[in-house]
Amino acid sequence: MRRQPGPFLLITNLPAPYRIPVFDCVNRLCGGHLHVVFTSNAWPERTWPAPTRDMQFSWSFLCTKQRSGKIAAACRAINATISLLLRQRPQAVVCGGYDSFEAWISFAYCWLRRRRFVLWMESHAQCRRNHTLLKYTLKRLIVRGADAVVVPGNASRDYALSLGATPEKIYEIRNGFDVRAFAERASVLDVPAEKERRGCSAIVLYAGRLVEMKGVFILLEAFLRVTKLVPGAILLVVGHGAARKAMETFCERERLVNVTFEGPKSYEEMPLYYALADVYVLPTFSDSHPLSVGEALACGTPVIVSRVAGSAVDLIVEGRTGYTVAPGDVDDLAQKLLLLLLDAPGKPSMQSHCRRMMQDHSMEYTGRWLWAAVTGERASSPEPIRS
């Protein structure tokens, strides 16, 4: 399939800041014919403002009315998706995810109209899910029937194959973002001065939703053990969520005074937090392919992440870019934290490995290969860099 003029739809959940540069890149490659449809303008536990001023492509929200009730929301989503497709008559549709009315209707439209349907999926076999038989059947149908399946790494690739995708349809495309901007913002921070201001010798960082599924209480328990051997360490918690009050109660009960709740921070502020930290920790119980792992590495910060996160397979080289841990294992997490916090001589080498791992994970890379999936161009993605 050659590149064709005409509308090209990309349907995704919400306008996340890290995705906008990728969409800009795709829009340039397709001659300005990209139209991005966001199914929501916000999620309750996401604090990003919609970066509409930065969007250099055509875009819209699928539904503008407030959703109240599952049936009403489903009806609005179905009607809006059908209306969108009939109005735009796209040459191709890229759909982020398979578990929505928007995905199912878009897939059916492309199949009936003989248009190219590209599924962009990040989930993998270890993600927690509660599918009915009908949803599982529809998922297999979409994965098997898609003209191309875009995945961010090996874990998602293996899952797509298990659902019936053929190898030649799979495009393994790294999750790109503005790596250069993250590295440059991180480099301007005077880390020793900032640590002196905070009165600490080492910093552990968690950034994300404050919910039990992210393993936040496992982190608190592990950090409590770490402070007995590294009393000068502090834990910075960035983000908000339903578990914050319970986390604060835990700290009060255990007299864990060296935990600071920073609250939610903007996307532009995050490179400074990554650069300040000696280690970024994500002890999640379930995660598709968290971009925060790559963001931390781009800033030269080693990462400790649960093995169930998709990023762990592709980005963590044990002892070089960080460590993986068993989800829910407090002992394992505490031991890995101590390995990083007590190994001061090895820190410069790890920082170098972390930055090198991310040097090719650019937004231009993702945009270029996403467009290749749309056009049907077949070429091998570059092999991931292993430090």
Side-chain angles (χ1 to χ4, degrees):
M1 175 179 173
R2 296 297 180 185
R3 299 183 183 183
Q4 302 178 35
F8 153 42
L9 284 185
L10 192 154
I11 302 175
T12 187
N13 48 23
L14 75 167
Y18 55 83
R19 289 294 192 205
I20 303 308
V22 173
F23 298 159
D24 285 335
C25 180
V26 174
N27 189 48
R28 292 192 297 271
L29 290 169
C30 69
H33 294 293
L34 172 66
H35 182 80
V36 179
V37 181
F38 301 105
T39 59
S40 176
N41 61 357
W43 285 356
E45 292 172 336
R46 306 291 193 193
T47 57
W48 308 312
T52 55
R53 293 182 180 179
D54 300 329
M55 298 180 188
Q56 300 173 20
F57 47 84
S58 173
W59 64 274
S60 62
F61 290 116
L62 185 65
C63 297
T64 56
K65 292 183 179 180
Q66 185 70 25
R67 297 188 177 188
S68 55
K70 291 184 178 180
I71 296 178
C75 290
R76 276 195 287 271
I78 292 170
N79 290 334
T81 305
I82 293 174
S83 176
L84 170 74
L85 293 168
L86 294 179
R87 184 174 66 254
Q88 294 279 349
R89 296 184 179 182
Q91 295 292 325
V93 177
V94 175
C95 193
Y98 44 64
D99 191 13
S100 68
F101 289 108
E102 297 88 357
W104 303 333
I105 293 171
S106 299
F107 174 72
Y109 172 89
C110 289
W111 183 75
L112 290 171
R113 293 293 184 93
R114 298 182 182 277
R115 303 303 189 192
R116 190 166 177 85
F117 180 83
V118 179
L119 176 64
W120 192 354
M121 59 171 282
E122 296 190 345
S123 60
H124 52 84
Q126 296 190 78
C127 287
R128 288 187 176 181
R129 51 181 58 85
N130 186 24
H131 282 331
T132 63
L133 178 60
L134 175 60
K135 282 188 175 182
Y136 180 74
T137 302
L138 289 171
K139 176 170 63 175
R140 286 186 60 88
L141 177 65
I142 290 179
V143 172
R144 293 180 66 180
D147 296 288
V149 180
V150 172
V151 296
N154 289 319
S156 297
R157 182 182 186 276
D158 292 344
Y159 187 50
L161 289 171
S162 73
L163 292 172
T166 54
E168 63 272 13
K169 288 185 178 182
I170 295 177
Y171 288 74
E172 190 173 331
I173 304 174
R174 303 167 192 152
N175 256 341
F177 59 98
D178 199 338
V179 174
R180 181 179 301 175
F182 265 72
E184 289 177 351
R185 290 171 189 164
S187 66
V188 304
L189 183 67
D190 188 339
V191 176
E194 183 62 19
K195 284 184 176 179
E196 183 178 357
R197 186 185 73 80
R198 290 178 177 267
C200 64
S201 60
I203 293 178
V204 176
L205 173 67
Y206 169 84
R209 291 180 293 144
L210 306 188
V211 293
E212 188 173 358
M213 187 188 72
K214 291 289 186 177
V216 291
F217 293 103
I218 300 300
L219 173 57
L220 290 178
E221 291 181 20
F223 186 69
L224 179 61
R225 301 183 186 185
V226 167
T227 55
K228 296 176 182 179
L229 293 175
V230 191
I234 66 171
L235 170 62
L236 297 183
V237 179
V238 174
H240 74 162
R244 173 164 177 170
K245 183 61 178 177
M247 293 174 70
E248 292 174 334
T249 300
F250 176 95
C251 294
E252 292 172 3
R253 185 179 68 247
E254 300 295 336
R255 298 180 182 179
L256 190 55
V257 297
N258 45 353
V259 176
T260 303
F261 291 87
E262 298 280 317
K265 298 298 176 182
S266 69
Y267 189 63
E268 290 72 23
E269 292 176 281
M270 286 311 301
L272 298 179
Y273 277 91
Y274 290 129
L276 181 60
D278 293 277
V279 54
Y280 171 65
V281 186
L282 183 62
T284 181
F285 285 98
S286 179
D287 239 310
S288 55
H289 204 279
L291 194 63
S292 60
V293 173
E295 292 170 349
L297 295 176
C299 297
T301 304
V303 175
I304 298 176
V305 62
S306 300
R307 297 188 184 103
V308 295
S311 302
V313 177
D314 304 288
L315 300 181
I316 302 302
V317 180
E318 298 287 333
R320 292 198 172 194
T321 62
Y323 294 99
T324 58
V325 294
D329 192 328
V330 176
D331 290 335
D332 193 13
L333 180 54
Q335 290 171 8
K336 298 297 172 52
L337 279 168
L338 289 171
L339 280 176
L340 289 175
L341 296 180
L342 296 176
D343 184 21
K347 184 176 180 180
S349 177
M350 289 196 76
Q351 289 176 326
S352 177
H353 287 306
C354 291
R355 295 191 184 99
R356 185 170 182 267
M357 172 63 76
M358 299 308 298
Q359 66 185 22
D360 284 341
H361 288 66
S362 67
M363 55 191 178
E364 291 85 2
Y365 171 94
T366 302
R368 174 165 51 88
W369 282 98
L370 180 58
W371 181 237
V374 172
T375 61
E377 296 175 5
R378 273 303 351 168
S380 298
S381 300
E383 289 296 320
I385 293 175
R386 288 299 183 187
S387 298

